[in-house]
Amino acid sequence: MAKTPDMTAMFKDVMGSFPVDTASMEDAFKTASTLNEKLSHVAIDAAEKSTEISSKWTKETLAKLGDMSKAKAEPADYAKAMTDFASSYAEVTAEHMAAFAEVAKKVQMDTVELMMAAGKDMSEDAQAVVKKATGDMTAAAKKAAAK
């Protein structure tokens, strides 16, 4: 009776012939982790600035509401106070929306800069891995051919 070939042993031999470099995986993980850290910093910084803008806007609005809600001697003074509040609120709104736009613009610029740098780093890492893998595979092929 013919002996069945041990496929597990054959598979182990084949896989053993292919070198695996875990250092390249670690480098890729470190690069990704560094990118995530930098992107998180950009997001947190933007959230802090946005919160500051919102807080300032709220404080200014409440101060203007306080001025508007004061008792007036003449009914026409109430209309003037409302008009003054509305015009100053529109002006402040434009200023704060511009501040939010600046934060968004900075986030966009920082993100593009980080992604371009990360793409360059990852490309260099990939080239190094491919070069090393090619060298390892060539050496393994020569070793197998010598046997």
Side-chain angles (χ1 to χ4, degrees):
M1 182 166 175
K3 184 177 176 188
T4 306
D6 185 1
M7 296 303 282
T8 304
M10 287 174 51
F11 188 70
K12 283 181 183 179
D13 290 343
V14 169
M15 293 308 290
S17 297
F18 293 102
V20 176
D21 183 17
T22 59
S24 60
M25 295 295 280
E26 290 172 11
D27 290 344
F29 181 76
K30 287 176 186 175
T31 301
S33 295
T34 302
L35 175 63
N36 287 336
E37 178 183 354
K38 290 176 182 177
L39 287 172
S40 295
H41 179 71
V42 168
I44 290 168
D45 188 46
E48 287 175 357
K49 288 178 182 174
S50 295
T51 301
E52 290 172 10
I53 293 167
S54 294
S55 177
K56 182 180 176 192
W57 191 355
T58 301
K59 287 178 183 179
E60 290 174 4
T61 301
L62 292 174
K64 291 179 191 312
L65 278 172
D67 292 341
M68 188 183 76
S69 65
K70 290 179 182 172
K72 313 286 187 245
E74 297 292 323
D77 292 340
Y78 287 102
K80 183 178 180 326
M82 292 279 283
T83 304
D84 290 347
F85 173 77
S87 65
S88 68
Y89 188 75
E91 183 180 313
V92 168
T93 298
E95 290 174 15
H96 288 94
M97 293 308 288
F100 280 124
E102 286 299 316
V103 170
K105 184 172 134 184
K106 183 171 180 352
V107 167
Q108 183 181 22
M109 289 172 38
D110 290 351
T111 302
V112 167
E113 185 179 306
L114 286 173
M115 295 306 283
M116 289 177 64
K120 182 182 173 198
D121 290 347
M122 289 180 184
S123 175
E124 289 171 357
D125 289 349
Q127 286 176 348
V129 167
V130 168
K131 185 176 180 180
K132 185 174 183 336
T134 302
D136 291 349
M137 291 300 289
T138 302
K142 285 180 182 177
K143 183 178 171 184
K147 287 182 182 181

